[in-house]
Amino acid sequence: LFWNQGWRQGAIGWSWGKQVMRIKLVRATDARPPGGWVGIGRMLLRSILGNVTFGVYTVLTYLWPLWDDRKQSLDDKILSTLVVTAASARP
């Protein structure tokens, strides 16, 4: 779990699921993978804030892209990341 959804997603931009769906996690500033520690931080942020708020944060972060102009979740906004299609992630 930590390796796939945390480190791998941050280090190379996608977990196994994102790779199958051809979407990628990138930094909002330069469209490069954010790094392994950011991936782990993103995973822990959602988990910790979700538990502290009794799931309210988790529901909001999953729904937020529905009305956000850049289609960012709350986690993406906090960490300045985007989830994009893999083709558009390449410079």
Side-chain angles (χ1 to χ4, degrees):
L1 179 70
F2 278 101
W3 178 78
N4 182 46
Q5 291 183 359
W7 187 265
R8 184 175 196 264
Q9 184 171 215
I12 62 173
W14 47 28
S15 62
W16 291 327
K18 279 185 173 56
Q19 189 171 2
V20 168
M21 296 303 297
R22 303 293 299 158
I23 57 178
K24 197 167 193 173
L25 179 68
V26 296
R27 288 186 293 220
T29 56
D30 61 3
R32 296 186 58 171
W37 291 112
V38 173
I40 289 174
R42 187 173 188 263
M43 185 182 73
L44 290 175
L45 177 71
R46 181 173 293 171
S47 176
I48 292 169
L49 288 179
N51 287 331
V52 168
T53 62
F54 302 104
V56 173
Y57 177 82
T58 305
V59 171
L60 280 175
T61 200
Y62 282 127
L63 294 177
W64 204 267
L66 295 174
W67 57 77
D68 187 68
D69 293 336
R70 295 179 77 184
K71 304 294 182 207
Q72 287 179 297
S73 69
L74 293 175
D75 306 328
D76 292 330
K77 289 192 170 298
I78 292 169
L79 297 172
S80 298
T81 57
L82 292 167
V83 176
V84 297
T85 58
S88 68
R90 295 183 187 126

